[in-house]
Amino acid sequence: MQNNQPVEFNHAINYVNKIKNRFQGQPDIYKAFLEILHTYQKEQRNAKEAGGNYTPALTEQEVYAQVARLFKNQEDLLSEFGQFLPDANSSVLLSKTTAEKVESVRNDHGGTVKKPQINNKQQRPSQNGCQIRRHSGPGATPPVKKKPKILIPKDQSLTDANKHGAGAESQFFDKVRKALRSAEAYDNFLRCLVIFNQEVISRSELVQLVSPFLAKFPELFTWFKNFLGYKESSHLESFPKERNTEGIAMEIDYASCKRLGSSYRALPKSFQQPKCTGRTPLCKEVLNDTWVSFPSWSEDSTFVSSKKTQYEEHIYRCEDERFELDVVLETNLATIRVLEAIQKKLSRLSAEDQAKFRLDNTLGGTSEVIHRKALQRIYADKAADIIDGLKKNPAVAVPIVLKRLKMKEEEWREAQRGFNKIWREQNEKYYLKSLDHQGINYKQIDTKVLRSKSLLNEIESIYDERQEQASEDNSGVPTGPHLTLTYEDKQILEDAASLIIHHVKRQTGIQKEDKYKIKQIIYHFIPDLLFSQRGELSDVEEEEEEETAETEDGVNKKHNGVGGGGASTPPKTKLMEDAYNLFYVNNNWYIFLRLHQILCSRLLRIYNQAEKQVEEELREREWEREVLGLKRDKNDSPAIQLRLKEPMDIEAVDYYPAFLDMVRNLLDGNMDSNQYEDSLREMFTIHAFIAFTMDKLIQSIVRQLQHIVSDEICVQVTDLYLSEGSCSATGGLLATQASRSLGEANYQRKAEQLMADENCFKLIFSQSCGQVQITIELLDTEEENSDDPAETEFSPNF
């Protein structure tokens, strides 16, 4: 703020965003700029609080000096920054960096710059093409005539500036405002006057800046130049006429221009196109001179793009480096070809004609820029002299320069071969990881999801929400399942059981007797609950197992050996449709069954993905063979040919068995987790992440199984199910459910009494169309139900 008058807020925001975008590749400069502003703001606040007893350590001049050093060779940013600190002595500070800016002009434009005849000034366009400024060169003669001061008080806003003019000046501002019609254009015109008053730009630069605004109004423009004391002879061009930047600096309100999509705006018809002497009829036909790319900044957009992972950043960085080196090599090679053509032409000329031969700004090619950039890259500060020599005496300069260019060509090509090895290694290392967006954070998130506390909180939250809803609606005690789980494919149970028992056998902390009970649960008890075929125990275990059988409704009902009894043959209930099993469990049993279902669902997803890839590969090879007549090997994929990934020794049909073996090796500690994940990505690409935590999931299941076979309440829950099964109270055919309602109600009462100190879950396993569905209801064991449990009838619709 200057004299309690705020600078336009939007202008400040836009300026900061411009700096942020300009220095995207140099975040340290942006951070340093913010630090300077924060320090200055803090000093000003301290001075205000302390009154006249405190002198700020950082003045406006010092702020401007620090920013000037920070924005080296960024004149447009520096001049715009001066609008926020008008009291800073901008002219003095700018003069300190004159030598650096003159050097920048030479580097940017190559060849020699025309020497002015009056005050030896150099001219260059700013980076945004909207400002042209001149900087005094060494030995510059200051203008004799004193620069006029346009009466625009610096402590006033731009829109009110014209009110403070006097007489003819006030009338001039009124006429300009009416002529420009647009308030934004008028504000931009006044900004030019402000930075002139602050001595940021010279008189001739001001005339060039306001030319787009006043050129259409000759009377106003003439009055303005006369008031400034500006003479046409003092306006010297530093570039050829065809490269005159007048018109390019025109300020255009793109927001009001015609749109094409979200990224392009049409130039206004009044825009004067810059001249181009190298256009062919084809160029004029196909090149775009109408539509301008108009970016939508992320700060202004509500769209949230996908954030790149660290592995994607590696790939992008490799591509950026590869591209930059290609540009250097191709630019150098293009210049070599042009000079070789010139050398051949010279060889056919006589000595006299060679001495007369001259080159223009294109050095014998079609572009002024490409060859100048190539020479600047090699000769740096001496490039201007080299270019001048090539133009004035090509017979002598061309062979020397050509030899140097070829030498650099060999040197850079050798460097490229070395870089290619590094890039190839990085691509092979990060290619598959760069495609995997979900796997980066999946392990951390999934570990939290699989915690016992998280699984219990999930269903308890659903229970609480339903209770609250019931109390609000006065609809009585809510009933029905809180969760529904599905086993889509019973065959996957065998793979899950194999992995679980594989890990159980290698746990030295589990006693032999408990291991046997766990095997019975996995191979017999769980398949019976899920209406699936039992697994086979070893011969010794089969002999030790006692067999009992109960018959109810003509159906053989077996009991698991966990409590001591079991049947040797699968019951018919498993093989029939429209049957159910009823099981009341505590926390440990619930957590185990939840984890078991998650394990089976993930194994099934991996299995289906493997099958899908086999089908896609067969279909693709068949198409190539029939349509293209090609017979491609499995290692002929583009990614492998480009050496983005290594060929695999495993066929697609063996992916799933190989995956199960890798999980076993991971559980045994014979395989590193990173190697395991990389191998999965090679096989299942972006779908592999679902199996990254397979070892943690199986380990959690085994821990719950240890509780189930050793914890007293868990054992009693299992024994209660077995004893109630002998009374036909744990399920059967749906057709005969009514005859078991009383027994099932008694089973529920006993279970609630047994689990009075913890959660009691009602699980109903039902099979339909080859799938098994589990409905889970968290019971309220604290409140007694006034209804007679014997009257509660099981509903097949759940």
Side-chain angles (χ1 to χ4, degrees):
M1 296 188 55
Q2 300 298 327
N3 299 332
N4 298 326
Q5 182 67 30
V7 178
E8 185 179 356
F9 181 73
N10 289 337
H11 183 199
I13 294 298
N14 293 334
Y15 179 69
V16 174
N17 286 336
K18 182 188 294 186
I19 295 173
K20 183 179 180 181
N21 293 324
R22 178 75 59 85
F23 297 109
Q24 280 183 343
Q26 299 171 286
D28 293 340
I29 294 180
Y30 178 65
K31 293 178 181 178
F33 173 71
L34 295 181
E35 185 64 29
I36 293 172
L37 295 187
H38 292 163
T39 304
Y40 175 69
Q41 184 181 24
K42 182 179 179 180
E43 289 293 317
Q44 294 296 315
R45 185 166 55 248
N46 293 340
K48 184 177 180 180
E49 294 175 354
N53 299 326
Y54 182 84
T55 302
L58 198 62
T59 63
E60 285 192 6
Q61 287 76 13
E62 291 170 339
V63 171
Y64 195 94
Q66 292 183 20
V67 173
R69 288 193 296 269
L70 195 63
F71 292 167
K72 182 180 179 181
N73 297 330
Q74 303 288 339
E75 293 87 352
D76 60 320
L77 294 180
L78 192 59
S79 64
E80 191 171 353
F81 181 72
Q83 299 178 38
F84 299 96
L85 297 176
D87 289 342
N89 190 355
S90 306
S91 60
V92 176
L93 296 171
L94 282 175
S95 65
K96 294 181 180 179
T97 59
T98 297
E100 297 175 355
K101 294 173 182 176
V102 171
E103 190 63 29
S104 174
V105 172
R106 295 182 62 189
N107 290 338
D108 284 347
H109 299 287
T112 58
V113 181
K114 291 183 179 180
K115 295 182 178 180
Q117 299 176 358
I118 297 180
N119 54 11
N120 193 25
K121 290 185 178 180
Q122 291 180 336
Q123 177 185 2
R124 62 170 291 187
S126 68
Q127 293 194 14
N128 64 358
C130 294
Q131 268 182 354
I132 301 175
R133 57 178 73 233
R134 299 175 183 273
H135 304 293
S136 300
T141 303
V144 177
K145 187 174 181 179
K146 186 177 180 181
K147 173 181 173 181
K149 195 78 170 180
I150 299 178
L151 299 179
I152 303 179
K154 59 190 175 184
D155 60 341
Q156 300 295 326
S157 64
L158 295 176
T159 55
D160 295 333
N162 63 316
K163 296 180 181 179
H164 300 275
E169 293 180 30
S170 179
Q171 294 178 5
F172 168 76
F173 283 119
D174 288 336
K175 292 178 181 180
V176 170
R177 185 177 65 252
K178 294 176 182 178
L180 294 179
R181 297 183 182 179
S182 169
E184 184 175 357
Y186 182 63
D187 282 347
N188 290 334
F189 168 75
L190 294 180
R191 284 192 177 95
C192 300
L193 307 185
V194 169
I195 60 177
F196 172 74
N197 276 347
Q198 295 169 355
E199 299 183 1
V200 175
I201 60 176
S202 65
R203 181 187 291 105
S204 60
E205 287 178 298
L206 175 61
V207 172
Q208 285 185 304
L209 282 179
V210 302
S211 176
F213 301 100
L214 302 181
K216 298 178 184 179
F217 313 103
E219 183 180 347
L220 294 177
F221 200 16
T222 302
W223 186 94
F224 183 75
K225 288 187 287 187
N226 291 336
F227 174 78
L228 286 178
Y230 173 80
K231 295 181 180 180
E232 296 293 339
S233 60
S234 66
H235 180 52
L236 300 177
E237 294 183 349
S238 302
F239 299 102
K241 291 184 178 180
E242 62 267 18
R243 299 192 59 205
N244 186 6
T245 54
E246 185 173 340
I248 296 178
M250 177 181 181
E251 301 231 4
I252 301 174
D253 181 14
Y254 288 107
S256 61
C257 294
K258 182 180 178 182
R259 299 182 58 174
L260 180 64
S262 59
S263 301
Y264 288 92
R265 301 290 188 274
L267 287 171
K269 295 180 179 180
S270 58
F271 177 76
Q272 183 180 358
Q273 294 284 350
K275 295 180 180 180
C276 180
T277 58
R279 290 285 181 94
T280 65
L282 179 62
C283 293
K284 295 177 180 178
E285 181 181 347
V286 301
L287 295 183
N288 166 47
D289 290 318
T290 305
W291 298 98
V292 177
S293 177
F294 185 74
S296 298
W297 305 110
S298 57
E299 292 84 353
D300 305 327
S301 175
T302 57
F303 174 73
V304 180
S305 60
S306 176
K307 184 179 180 181
K308 292 185 181 69
T309 65
Q310 56 180 317
Y311 307 110
E312 270 189 298
E313 291 291 352
H314 282 291
I315 299 295
Y316 274 91
R317 191 175 299 116
C318 286
E319 289 302 311
D320 287 343
E321 293 171 356
R322 193 191 303 271
F323 170 76
E324 289 174 7
L325 183 54
D326 283 344
V327 169
V328 171
L329 289 170
E330 292 303 318
T331 303
N332 192 65
L333 184 59
T335 307
I336 289 176
R337 290 170 179 165
V338 168
L339 294 184
E340 282 180 339
I342 296 299
Q343 191 175 36
K344 288 181 181 180
K345 184 176 181 179
L346 287 170
S347 66
R348 294 192 294 267
L349 300 177
S350 63
E352 183 179 354
D353 290 337
Q354 287 182 2
K356 295 179 180 179
F357 188 78
R358 296 289 183 270
L359 294 176
D360 59 9
N361 289 334
T362 64
L363 301 179
T366 59
S367 170
E368 296 184 26
V369 179
I370 295 177
H371 313 310
R372 186 175 71 244
K373 289 292 184 183
L375 296 173
Q376 286 176 340
R377 189 170 288 109
I378 295 177
Y379 292 100
D381 297 343
K382 303 297 182 182
D385 297 333
I386 296 297
I387 293 173
D388 190 54
L390 285 170
K391 292 164 64 176
K392 294 180 178 179
N393 196 354
V396 176
V398 167
I400 299 174
V401 173
L402 190 57
K403 181 179 179 180
R404 179 73 183 275
L405 290 174
K406 290 182 176 179
M407 182 180 67
K408 299 302 289 186
E409 170 77 9
E410 294 178 2
E411 178 184 333
W412 288 339
R413 292 290 178 186
E414 181 62 29
Q416 186 186 40
R417 286 189 283 271
F419 283 127
N420 281 336
K421 295 179 181 179
I422 299 174
W423 291 328
R424 185 179 301 115
E425 291 174 357
Q426 291 180 337
N427 281 332
E428 290 176 356
K429 184 177 181 181
Y430 298 119
Y431 169 68
L432 291 172
K433 292 181 179 179
S434 69
L435 302 177
D436 184 10
H437 278 250
Q438 300 190 71
I440 303 298
N441 301 316
Y442 179 78
K443 290 193 296 183
Q444 181 180 1
I445 296 173
D446 195 56
T447 300
K448 297 179 181 179
V449 171
L450 296 179
R451 289 175 182 169
S452 301
K453 185 176 181 180
S454 299
L455 294 174
L456 289 174
N457 286 340
E458 176 189 18
I459 193 168
E460 288 175 355
S461 297
I462 298 174
Y463 174 86
D464 292 339
E465 290 176 4
R466 183 176 295 181
Q467 293 284 33
E468 291 176 3
Q469 185 66 31
S471 62
E472 292 176 1
D473 299 341
N474 296 322
S475 55
V477 179
T479 58
H482 297 98
L483 282 177
T484 301
L485 310 177
T486 303
Y487 284 84
E488 298 180 5
D489 190 342
K490 297 183 204 176
Q491 293 181 356
I492 213 72
L493 293 173
E494 298 178 9
D495 298 328
S498 173
L499 294 176
I500 293 171
I501 298 304
H502 175 87
H503 189 57
V504 169
K505 288 180 179 179
R506 285 152 180 78
Q507 300 306 303
T508 57
I510 304 179
Q511 298 179 1
K512 184 177 180 181
E513 181 181 356
D514 289 341
K515 287 183 179 180
Y516 171 65
K517 292 179 180 179
I518 289 175
K519 288 180 182 179
Q520 287 183 305
I521 291 175
I522 296 300
Y523 285 134
H524 287 181
F525 191 75
I526 296 301
D528 288 345
L529 284 174
L530 299 174
F531 309 99
S532 180
Q533 296 288 346
R534 283 185 173 188
E536 294 183 1
L537 299 172
S538 64
D539 295 339
V540 176
E541 291 163 345
E542 290 284 1
E543 291 174 1
E544 292 176 352
E545 192 175 26
E546 298 179 3
E547 301 177 359
T548 60
E550 296 291 338
T551 303
E552 183 256 329
D553 291 337
V555 177
N556 290 329
K557 186 74 174 180
K558 65 94 197 176
H559 298 296
N560 188 274
V562 176
S568 59
T569 59
K572 295 181 181 178
T573 309
K574 304 189 291 191
L575 309 178
M576 301 175 61
E577 296 290 339
D578 300 331
Y580 71 96
N581 285 322
L582 177 63
F583 191 18
Y584 290 94
V585 300
N586 65 340
N587 287 341
N588 293 112
W589 262 107
Y590 165 74
I591 294 169
F592 161 71
L593 289 169
R594 285 282 283 117
L595 294 173
H596 185 268
Q597 190 272 339
I598 292 173
L599 172 62
C600 291
S601 66
R602 293 184 180 180
L603 289 174
L604 183 60
R605 284 181 62 178
I606 294 295
Y607 175 81
N608 290 336
Q609 179 60 30
E611 291 292 305
K612 182 179 179 181
Q613 290 182 203
V614 171
E615 294 176 2
E616 289 177 351
E617 183 174 314
L618 292 175
R619 187 163 55 250
E620 183 177 355
R621 290 188 182 182
E622 182 179 355
W623 180 83
E624 290 177 347
R625 184 173 60 255
E626 295 180 356
V627 179
L628 303 179
L630 300 176
K631 189 176 181 180
R632 180 171 62 85
D633 186 72
K634 66 182 180 68
N635 290 331
D636 286 345
S637 70
I640 294 176
Q641 289 179 340
L642 292 172
R643 302 186 67 177
L644 294 175
K645 67 176 184 178
E646 294 293 329
M648 294 193 64
D649 298 329
I650 306 173
E651 295 285 349
V653 293
D654 298 325
Y655 278 179
Y656 184 70
F659 155 69
L660 295 178
D661 289 337
M662 285 193 295
V663 174
R664 294 187 184 97
N665 290 329
L666 183 64
L667 289 168
D668 295 343
N670 298 329
M671 192 175 195
D672 180 69
S673 61
N674 292 327
Q675 181 186 358
Y676 167 76
E677 293 175 16
D678 290 341
S679 299
L680 286 185
R681 288 191 186 99
E682 291 179 7
M683 292 191 293
F684 305 110
T685 62
I686 61 174
H687 307 281
F689 72 95
I690 196 69
F692 285 174
T693 56
M694 197 64 70
D695 57 330
K696 302 293 190 299
L697 178 56
I698 294 173
Q699 290 166 1
S700 298
I701 290 174
V702 172
R703 282 195 295 270
Q704 295 302 325
L705 284 170
Q706 285 181 265
H707 287 295
I708 288 173
V709 299
S710 59
D711 183 76
E712 181 179 355
I713 298 297
C714 293
V715 172
Q716 291 179 13
V717 167
T718 309
D719 290 342
L720 179 61
Y721 173 80
L722 297 173
S723 62
E724 291 298 318
S726 62
C727 302
S728 304
T730 58
L733 296 176
L734 280 176
T736 58
Q737 190 274 330
S739 62
R740 294 186 296 274
S741 60
L742 183 59
E744 291 175 358
N746 291 330
Y747 175 29
Q748 178 174 337
R749 275 199 300 270
K750 294 177 183 178
E752 290 176 345
Q753 292 174 1
L754 174 62
M755 292 170 267
D757 296 333
E758 59 178 309
N759 292 328
C760 178
F761 299 90
K762 178 182 179 181
L763 275 58
I764 299 176
F765 301 77
S766 61
Q767 69 169 351
S768 176
C769 301
Q771 293 185 349
V772 177
Q773 191 178 67
I774 309 176
T775 59
I776 305 173
E777 180 181 358
L778 175 57
L779 302 178
D780 187 357
T781 57
E782 297 180 358
E783 298 181 7
E784 293 191 9
N785 196 336
S786 58
D787 297 334
D788 185 357
E791 298 177 358
T792 303
E793 184 174 346
F794 170 75
S795 172
N797 295 324
F798 311 116

